[in-house]
Amino acid sequence: MASIPQNKIEKSSFKIITQFCALAHLPALVRLLNDHRHSNVSLTAILIWLLKVIFQRRTLYRAEAPGMCTKRTVYNILNDGRINWQRLSCLLAQRVITGLAQWLDARKSGALIIDDTLISRLNAKQTELLANTFDHDRQRYLKGYRGLTLAWSNGQLVLPVTTAVLSSQKARNRVGTPAKTLDQRTLAGQRRAQAMRPMPAVALELIKQARANGLKAKYVLFDSWFTSPKMFAALNDQKLIGIGMLKRTKKIYYRYRGRQYTVKTLYQYLRQSHRQPRADYLYSCVVQAATAKLPLRLVFVAKRHCANDYLVLATTKTNLTPAAIIQLYSRRWQIENYFKAAKQYLRLDQTQIQDYDGLCAHMAVTMMTYDLLAWQQRRQPGDPTIGDIFYQLDTLLPIIDLATAIGQLLGELTSLKVTKSPAKMTAQIKTLIDQFLNGLSIQTSALITLSMSNS
């Protein structure tokens, strides 16, 4: 048996990486990253080698040393606090979207998705800015960071845009060593100060940074952790449309028809008003946030698998239909697919880097790797889509009654050409009858077959 041509596979993967770097104009992007190293080894070559290591599913410790430098040089580059990794990921996402424009549907507007994931560091002790972070899946605190991520999606494609590695805002939750520097004149100091700010404030900073680097979007999607009247007002100031899920809290009130309601009491009022629930949602109304003085459209949606429970979506664009709001918010789940793929295949939370700047660089390189995979997937030849026809075919076909079906069968029988061979004529009639019976329901077909056998 012939052996697997491993060299050909490595050459093919290396060719894909070089094609992606050429599409994104990676050397031109690297020159914008505040890289002031005096070395003969380019940062572009280091990034290409890091991509190959991630695809080989190896750590930096177990990977083969690059031919152009030592591993210590790679660690020094990753731990360099002067390199602006957030800007690299923003510019790279913008270049990928531009390069894939011919494969994307121009009718679908882009949306930014904001969410966070846990980057656990269970065995770390003295890592900089390490904090006790609450894990919502396990419902307990773990040592690690919050990876706040901003992604872009148009319904067909999701691309991570930028990220921030956050510690805790409270000093008592920070168990690692203090920040090395908080000097706001340096990029390293700004990065560490950002890590200790509230998560909604950092989310607004990432959105502003992405738009400043050329990323175009109309909507911003987020879950209940970020949803508040202040968040909607801040996005409205940036001329963005926010769509998020509301918390059923007693601390926030909304004005509806001259009265103040919480989300829970408003749902009870709408239910007692004998409004007829719709097929795809329960209720919809326009309210005004008591704190931000901003009109919001609320859509109450039945929670899946919980008949007596509901979810509440809100948006600042009050003329959007409830169906459009639900359809747009459904894109938010795509960032969860990115987190799953990045952790399961790209070793997002399995790095051995201990330096805080190195961890930020590792997050950016992981996002770069996922951009390459998304670019390659969209370029793969496949069956072409036919646009909105799939939404039209989602409805049930009309049911034809038995009398109409028998009439169609008789019409096809009378249209048969008469042949001289009785065997061919019998075979044609038998084929039509079999097709007719196969198109009927099981009960009707069995009843007709039984009556034919009795006769």
Side-chain angles (χ1 to χ4, degrees), residues 61 64 101-102 127 137 140 150 226 282 372 412 423 432 437:
Y61 178 77
E64 296 182 2
Q102 58 179 326
T127 307
D137 295 332
R140 62 189 182 95
L150 181 70
F226 303 92
L282 298 176
L372 192 156
E412 292 180 358
L432 284 177
L437 294 176

Side-chain angles (χ1 to χ4, degrees), residues 14 16 36 59 72 76 104 208 237 243 278 314 334 367 370 421:
F14 182 74
I16 293 175
H36 298 294
T59 62
R72 175 47 54 189
N76 291 339
L104 300 178
K208 186 176 181 181
D237 294 339
I243 301 178
R278 302 299 181 91
Q334 293 182 337
M367 297 172 72
Y370 189 87
S421 174

Side-chain angles (χ1 to χ4, degrees), residues 5-19 376:
Q6 185 67 25
N7 293 332
K8 293 184 179 180
I9 296 176
E10 291 182 357
K11 290 181 180 180
S12 177
S13 61
F14 182 74
K15 183 179 179 181
I16 293 175
I17 294 174
T18 53
Q19 288 177 352
Q376 183 66 13

Side-chain angles (χ1 to χ4, degrees), residues 117-177:
T117 185
L118 175 65
I119 309 297
S120 60
R121 305 304 297 270
L122 302 179
N123 299 324
K125 295 181 179 179
Q126 299 298 322
T127 307
E128 187 181 3
L129 292 178
L130 188 70
N132 287 324
T133 308
F134 187 73
D135 186 3
H136 296 280
D137 295 332
R138 303 180 185 179
Q139 293 296 313
R140 62 189 182 95
Y141 281 90
L142 299 175
K143 288 190 296 183
Y145 302 92
R146 303 301 305 183
L148 181 62
T149 304
L150 181 70
W152 179 91
S153 172
N154 69 336
Q156 299 174 291
L157 176 71
V158 59
L159 289 175
V161 177
T162 184
T163 185
V165 183
L166 302 185
S167 180
S168 177
Q169 184 183 3
K170 300 177 181 178
R172 65 175 181 270
N173 289 338
R174 294 195 290 268
V175 297
T177 58

Side-chain angles (χ1 to χ4, degrees), residues 184-201:
Q184 296 297 303
R185 296 173 297 178
T186 63
L187 184 62
Q190 296 173 7
R191 185 181 293 149
R192 287 161 173 78
Q194 185 185 63
M196 294 181 286
R197 283 200 286 270
M199 195 179 298

Side-chain angles (χ1 to χ4, degrees), residues 83-339:
I83 301 178
N84 194 341
W85 296 105
Q86 288 183 343
R87 190 178 186 187
L88 170 65
S89 55
C90 287
L91 293 174
L92 184 64
Q94 193 271 336
R95 292 287 179 88
V96 173
I97 294 171
T98 304
L100 292 177
Q102 58 179 326
W103 285 282
L104 300 178
D105 191 352
R107 298 174 299 172
K108 297 183 178 181
S109 57
L112 295 175
I113 310 172
I114 192 75
D115 203 357
D116 66 294
T117 185
L118 175 65
I119 309 297
S120 60
R121 305 304 297 270
L122 302 179
N123 299 324
K125 295 181 179 179
Q126 299 298 322
T127 307
E128 187 181 3
L129 292 178
L130 188 70
N132 287 324
T133 308
F134 187 73
D135 186 3
H136 296 280
D137 295 332
R138 303 180 185 179
Q139 293 296 313
R140 62 189 182 95
Y141 281 90
L142 299 175
K143 288 190 296 183
Y145 302 92
R146 303 301 305 183
L148 181 62
T149 304
L150 181 70
W152 179 91
S153 172
N154 69 336
Q156 299 174 291
L157 176 71
V158 59
L159 289 175
V161 177
T162 184
T163 185
V165 183
L166 302 185
S167 180
S168 177
Q169 184 183 3
K170 300 177 181 178
R172 65 175 181 270
N173 289 338
R174 294 195 290 268
V175 297
T177 58
K180 293 180 181 179
T181 177
L182 292 175
D183 189 356
Q184 296 297 303
R185 296 173 297 178
T186 63
L187 184 62
Q190 296 173 7
R191 185 181 293 149
R192 287 161 173 78
Q194 185 185 63
M196 294 181 286
R197 283 200 286 270
M199 195 179 298
V202 179
L204 293 172
E205 294 174 4
L206 296 183
I207 293 172
K208 186 176 181 181
Q209 182 186 30
R211 300 186 70 197
N213 284 281
L215 206 70
K216 297 181 180 180
K218 187 177 180 181
Y219 303 95
V220 180
L221 314 177
F222 39 85
D223 60 4
S224 58
W225 182 264
F226 303 92
T227 306
S228 66
K230 292 183 179 180
M231 187 70 171
F232 283 118
L235 292 175
N236 191 50
D237 294 339
Q238 297 188 27
K239 298 181 180 180
L240 291 171
I241 302 171
I243 301 178
M245 184 180 297
L246 292 180
K247 294 180 180 178
R248 284 179 282 181
T249 177
K250 299 180 179 178
K251 299 180 180 179
I252 301 178
Y253 287 85
Y254 302 93
R255 181 177 294 275
Y256 179 68
R257 294 186 177 180
R259 291 188 178 184
Q260 301 281 359
Y261 297 94
T262 63
V263 172
K264 187 175 180 180
T265 56
L266 179 59
Y267 174 76
Q268 294 174 352
Y269 171 78
L270 295 175
R271 191 174 183 180
Q272 293 174 0
S273 62
H274 301 290
R275 288 193 179 187
Q276 187 66 27
R278 302 299 181 91
D280 49 351
Y281 66 95
L282 298 176
Y283 309 107
S284 177
C285 61
V286 177
V287 300
Q288 188 176 24
T291 55
K293 305 296 182 181
L294 191 68
L296 298 174
R297 174 171 288 280
L298 304 188
V299 180
F300 295 83
V301 185
K303 190 174 182 180
R304 183 176 295 180
H305 307 304
C306 298
N308 299 324
D309 205 353
Y310 60 93
L311 304 174
V312 188
L313 305 181
T315 180
T316 53
K317 191 173 180 61
T318 56
N319 58 355
L320 274 179
T321 62
I325 295 172
I326 297 172
Q327 191 272 334
L328 284 169
Y329 188 76
S330 64
R331 297 187 194 177
R332 196 207 68 83
W333 188 254
Q334 293 182 337
I335 197 173
E336 302 291 348
N337 296 333
Y338 159 69
F339 289 147

Side-chain angles (χ1 to χ4, degrees), residues 6-40:
Q6 185 67 25
N7 293 332
K8 293 184 179 180
I9 296 176
E10 291 182 357
K11 290 181 180 180
S12 177
S13 61
F14 182 74
K15 183 179 179 181
I16 293 175
I17 294 174
T18 53
Q19 288 177 352
F20 173 75
C21 295
L23 168 75
H25 304 284
L26 190 60
L29 298 183
V30 167
R31 290 194 291 268
L32 303 175
L33 300 185
N34 196 31
D35 182 23
H36 298 294
R37 297 176 303 107
H38 299 284
S39 175
N40 295 327

Side-chain angles (χ1 to χ4, degrees), residues 52-81:
K52 292 175 62 178
V53 170
I54 292 178
F55 285 125
Q56 291 172 357
R57 305 196 66 174
R58 296 178 182 176
T59 62
L60 294 181
Y61 178 77
R62 294 186 177 275
E64 296 182 2
M68 63 280 191
C69 64
T70 62
K71 289 186 182 179
R72 175 47 54 189
T73 304
V74 178
Y75 279 109
N76 291 339
I77 292 175
L78 293 176
N79 298 336
D80 192 348

